[in-house]
Amino acid sequence: MSEAPTPRSRRWVWWLLGAAIVLLGITLVVQQLLDPWLRRKLEQQVTTQTHGQYRLQVGALHTSLWQRAIRLSGLRLRPAATVADTLPRVQLDAAQLNVTGIGLLALLRKGVVPIDSVVLDSARIEVLALARKPTKNAGKPLYEQLPLKLKGLDIRYFGLLHTRANYQPSGAQAQPTARFRRADLSAQNLLISAAGAADSQRLGYAIGWNLLLQHAQGQAAGHQLAVARLTIATADHLIQLDSGRVQPLEAARTDQPRVDLLLPRLRLTGLQAAALQHQHRFRADSLLIQQPQVTAVLPANSSAGNSKSATDYLKSLDLAHLDVRGGYVRVQGAAANPIIHGLEVAGTAIHFDSVNAPNAQRIFFAKAWEVALGRSQATVAAHALALGSLQLSTSAGTFTLRSVRIRPPAPGQDKPGGLRVDLVLPSLALAGLDAKALQQKHFQAQSLVLDRPNLHFTPPV
């Protein structure tokens, strides 16, 4: 039989139980005092850091020392009547901000602080004006601008969920505007530190970013943009756009190009986003563009000016496959004024290098092209050209035109002394076409077949 506990052993049990109760009581008291102190400190810190130009109100703040967590609710950020030129004018309302798994020891040492998650939920952002001048820290990386002089933040999960935003500055109507009804942005393994900035496998300090943007609208450069849904998943190397539209504004300048674009779907896979950020090299597996409809109006007097192009940023471009399906293109204001229905384009192994000369083994930057046009028309030397269809295959070396019709210009519309051509051609077929020689302005083919051509021309006078 076991011996009964002695009075001395019972006293140790009571001492331990009493110590635990005292410790729990002290913890509860500290937490009751800590929460309102942290709430006031946070609100005062925002006022101090912005020199009184912003005011933060926190509806409630709760800490959990055991979970190393802080939960805030009812956040409200408001600017003063006027703010400095170096600060944007922003209003923010957020339902909740939850920070869990804070590394308290690293926080006290001001090192790289590990955090399990940072989640801002149900935020409403109104951007009334952007900063007009850069701050003194504008050139510094983000990890050198952290509060409390921390060396970094190592956040396992970062999320901005159910976010709505609106940017519509007051003043001239020509200013850019933007708004979206919902955005969900998240990052995995976000390391904001010197090591995170130097890691070429990271994009914006994170191993992966995910964005779901819905019902976004904006206007800039005389055009308005609408996006029904945009998905970006860098870890999955995917960008997908569903239902995008660009339309010119009625008050747009007539000396600038006007573009009307309807894009039901765009899907980019295999994108190496980190290589694009760190090396300025675009690499992807496939780009699919479904049923694009483009109408462009070029100004009568246009100049290239000093505008920068993508080649000023990109060092190289590698796209394994390009696929355009069911496109429609119309260009007004150009010499040819083309109208194209049923555009189909497939390009394989497309490569562009901004430094080295084009590879002679490629055909217009690609290993092979497959092109098909449906009913199309254009103007060539004042003559109206109409096509029933066009097909080109550089790999097979074939080129086919069907239902070709060239009409001469009406009297008085052609240039004096010009050749007038009237052609009806049911079909034209080329075989053995050397596309590589063609890009060097040398025409080489094995056979040319014209089906019942009917040609009339009037020589120049």
Side-chain angles (χ1 to χ4, degrees):
M1 296 179 64
S2 60
E3 297 181 359
T6 64
R8 187 174 182 178
S9 64
R10 291 194 189 98
R11 286 197 299 268
W12 277 108
V13 172
W14 285 108
W15 273 107
L16 289 175
L17 182 59
I21 293 175
V22 171
L23 181 60
L24 178 60
I26 294 175
T27 301
L28 292 175
V29 172
V30 169
Q31 185 158 337
Q32 289 297 320
L33 297 175
L34 179 62
D35 288 357
W37 179 83
L38 279 177
R39 177 181 171 183
R40 291 193 303 269
K41 191 67 175 178
L42 181 60
E43 293 175 343
Q44 292 171 1
Q45 188 69 17
V46 170
T47 302
T48 302
Q49 290 293 327
T50 62
H51 303 286
Q53 296 179 88
Y54 270 92
R55 180 169 54 90
L56 174 66
Q57 293 179 346
V58 179
L61 184 150
H62 300 286
T63 59
S64 174
L65 297 178
W66 305 112
Q67 297 179 352
R68 296 172 292 127
I70 299 177
R71 293 177 173 83
L72 301 91
S73 60
L75 298 173
R76 179 183 173 90
L77 181 68
R78 291 293 184 270
T82 58
V83 297
D85 292 339
T86 56
L87 292 176
R89 187 171 178 81
V90 178
Q91 295 181 357
L92 180 143
D93 294 274
Q96 289 184 335
L97 173 62
N98 296 329
V99 184
T100 62
I102 304 171
L104 299 178
L105 185 59
L107 180 63
L108 294 174
R109 293 177 175 176
K110 298 185 182 297
V112 178
V113 180
I115 301 176
D116 287 344
S117 68
V118 177
V119 178
L120 181 67
D121 196 358
S122 301
R124 304 292 181 267
I125 305 171
E126 292 282 341
V127 182
L128 307 176
L130 298 177
R132 293 190 292 269
K133 295 180 181 179
T135 63
K136 61 180 181 180
N137 296 325
K140 292 184 178 181
L142 179 60
Y143 64 86
E144 293 184 2
Q145 303 181 48
L146 295 175
L148 305 177
K149 297 183 179 179
L150 299 176
K151 290 185 178 180
L153 296 173
D154 188 357
I155 305 172
R156 184 175 301 177
Y157 175 83
F158 172 80
L160 298 176
L161 308 180
H162 307 98
T163 303
R164 298 180 64 177
N166 182 41
Y167 169 58
Q168 193 158 3
S170 59
Q173 296 182 354
Q175 293 190 64
T177 64
R179 65 178 178 178
F180 53 83
R181 189 177 300 175
R182 174 170 176 175
D184 294 287
L185 176 68
S186 63
Q188 294 76 40
N189 296 324
L190 182 64
L191 179 58
I192 306 175
S193 68
D199 190 347
S200 61
Q201 300 303 311
R202 293 177 180 270
L203 175 68
Y205 297 100
I207 291 297
W209 288 92
N210 290 283
L211 171 66
L212 174 60
L213 181 66
Q214 300 182 75
H215 304 291
Q217 296 179 337
Q219 68 178 47
H223 290 75
Q224 59 182 2
L225 168 68
V227 173
R229 184 183 180 94
L230 173 65
T231 304
I232 300 176
T234 63
D236 296 330
H237 313 289
L238 171 68
I239 295 179
Q240 181 166 312
L241 172 67
D242 294 295
S243 186
R245 184 70 188 266
V246 177
Q247 293 177 292
L249 299 171
E250 294 183 359
R253 293 168 50 183
T254 58
D255 60 343
Q256 297 292 332
R258 297 165 60 89
V259 178
D260 192 324
L261 168 64
L262 176 62
L263 191 56
R265 193 182 192 203
L266 180 149
R267 182 178 175 87
L268 180 66
T269 64
L271 174 65
Q272 303 297 320
L276 184 62
Q277 175 188 330
H278 296 284
Q279 304 171 16
H280 299 262
R281 300 185 184 279
F282 178 92
R283 299 171 184 169
D285 293 337
S286 67
L287 174 59
L288 170 64
I289 304 174
Q290 290 185 319
Q291 298 180 327
Q293 299 182 34
V294 185
T295 299
V297 180
L298 304 181
N301 298 317
S302 62
S303 59
N306 297 321
S307 60
K308 293 184 178 182
S309 64
T311 58
D312 297 322
Y313 175 82
L314 286 179
K315 292 183 179 179
S316 65
L317 180 148
D318 286 280
L319 179 62
H321 190 73
L322 169 66
D323 195 356
V324 180
R325 301 177 185 175
Y328 168 83
V329 178
R330 180 174 184 176
V331 180
Q332 297 175 301
N337 288 330
I339 301 177
I340 300 172
H341 295 265
L343 174 64
E344 306 277 341
V345 178
T348 305
I350 302 171
H351 174 76
F352 168 79
D353 193 318
S354 63
V355 178
N356 300 318
N359 191 330
Q361 299 303 313
R362 297 179 182 270
I363 304 164
F364 298 104
F365 304 107
K367 183 178 180 181
W369 290 100
E370 304 286 332
V371 180
L373 308 181
R375 180 172 52 87
S376 305
Q377 65 186 59
T379 302
V380 180
H383 288 66
L385 168 65
L387 299 176
S389 66
L390 177 152
Q391 290 184 325
L392 168 67
S393 173
T394 62
S395 57
T398 58
F399 177 76
T400 304
L401 292 175
R402 298 189 184 280
S403 301
V404 182
R405 183 70 167 99
I406 298 178
R407 296 179 181 272
Q413 295 183 357
D414 56 342
K415 295 182 179 180
L419 181 66
R420 296 170 58 86
V421 178
D422 192 337
L423 171 65
V424 176
L425 179 61
S427 69
L428 177 153
L430 281 170
L433 176 65
D434 190 338
K436 294 178 182 177
L438 183 62
Q439 70 177 347
Q440 301 297 328
K441 299 182 181 180
H442 298 292
F443 177 80
Q444 297 180 17
Q446 294 178 357
S447 66
L448 169 62
V449 177
L450 302 175
D451 180 24
R452 295 168 293 152
N454 189 346
L455 173 64
H456 297 276
F457 67 90
T458 303
V461 178

